[in-house]
Amino acid sequence: EDQVTQSPEALRLQEGESSSLNCSYTVSGLRGLFWYRQDPGKGPEFLFTLYSAGEEKEKERLKATLTKKESFLHITAPKPEDSATYLCAVQANQAGTALIFGKGTTLSVSS
Amino acid sequence: NAGVMQNPRHLVRRRGQEARLRCSPMKGHSHVYWYRQLPEEGLKFMVYLQKENIIDESGMPKERFSAEFPKEGPSILRIQQVVRGDSAAYFCASSPEGTAAFFGQGTRLTVV
């Protein structure tokens, strides 16, 4: 069964304290891995898509990496405005084009 | 370029009533997806549509739920005879080619 597991469930950081979020996946064949940010009461906001092991993408303080079994979202020198829930999702070859989501990591950054 | 538009943002229905959720995809996007987010749960796929066609409804409950994406107008997710367990946030996403999906702000359905 295709599955996505995110850890930790919650993460508290001080402003400037870098860290990483983990997304482990089990799929029959990976078509793509997606990262989203979701603020309370809002819809997911697209961040990155990764397609193959070794691929990396960056956007401001965020950097996403991909291996054959997991993806990391690295947050460098976070600011309070980075506080949100970060969602990981995979698109599996045998799931059509639907995304399979993890439950997310809720990040809180305090000043 | 407006994003994915969903309305209403909040909807309250009594048990047994019908709920209609609307989604207008981004301009140029012909692929629409509906997802449901229950409290403390991740987003779950419900249905995938293209204009006038249901492509994949494997995540849709067999009864009371239906979806359409007509040639003209928004996509509609319809829930008949709502029950308390239907209370959730329903998100619509659109894409141009079935790849990265861009989400709307969601409709929060409360069944009382």
Side-chain angles (χ1 to χ4, degrees):
Chain A
E1 181 186 350
D2 299 331
Q3 196 168 351
V4 177
T5 303
Q6 292 189 246
S7 62
E9 289 186 13
L11 181 63
R12 291 184 177 272
L13 299 174
Q14 291 283 78
E15 185 171 3
E17 180 186 3
S18 301
S19 188
S20 296
L21 313 182
N22 177 263
C23 171
S24 299
Y25 61 90
T26 306
V27 294
S28 51
L30 181 69
R31 186 182 293 184
L33 185 140
F34 300 77
W35 282 99
Y36 289 87
R37 168 190 171 131
Q38 186 174 26
D39 293 298
K42 300 284 183 69
E45 175 189 345
F46 173 73
L47 294 174
F48 305 107
T49 308
L50 302 166
Y51 293 103
S52 57
E55 189 174 358
E56 298 181 353
K57 288 196 176 169
E58 287 189 67
K59 180 180 180 180
E60 296 180 358
R61 295 177 292 282
L62 301 176
K63 178 180 177 181
T65 61
L66 180 65
T67 72
K68 289 187 176 179
K69 293 185 178 180
E70 58 191 350
S71 176
F72 292 94
L73 185 65
H74 307 277
I75 303 176
T76 302
K79 299 182 177 182
E81 53 262 42
D82 294 323
S83 298
T85 296
Y86 290 85
L87 302 173
C88 173
V90 298
Q91 192 176 41
N93 284 331
Q94 295 192 9
T97 61
L99 297 178
I100 303 163
F101 280 86
K103 292 186 179 182
T105 293
T106 300
L107 173 66
S108 299
V109 182
S110 54
S111 56
Chain B
N1 185 15
V4 178
M5 304 300 291
Q6 289 189 250
N7 64 81
R9 292 293 310 277
H10 300 274
L11 182 62
V12 178
R13 284 289 177 266
R14 296 187 183 278
R15 281 177 295 171
Q17 289 185 320
E18 178 179 288
R20 280 186 177 235
L21 288 60
R22 289 178 291 278
C23 168
S24 296
M26 289 177 69
K27 188 176 181 180
H29 288 192
S30 59
H31 299 243
V32 166
Y33 308 79
W34 286 92
Y35 289 80
R36 176 164 64 175
Q37 189 171 41
L38 292 164
E40 309 304 322
E41 294 287 329
L43 282 154
K44 301 293 185 186
F45 167 75
M46 298 181 74
V47 62
Y48 163 39
L49 310 101
Q50 293 183 29
K51 284 284 187 182
E52 299 184 279
N53 286 302
I54 297 174
I55 307 301
D56 180 358
E57 55 182 349
S58 59
M60 192 90 99
K62 298 298 180 196
E63 298 179 352
R64 302 189 296 109
F65 285 72
S66 62
E68 62 176 7
F69 188 14
K71 186 176 180 180
E72 301 291 338
S75 175
I76 305 288
L77 179 67
R78 182 182 177 202
I79 311 172
Q80 294 178 291
Q81 298 176 319
V82 296
V83 301
R84 288 223 170 104
D86 297 331
S87 295
Y90 291 83
F91 291 96
C92 170
S94 74
S95 71
E97 298 174 352
T99 54
F102 300 90
F103 284 79
Q105 298 296 350
T107 294
R108 278 142 189 88
L109 172 65
T110 302
V111 179
V112 297

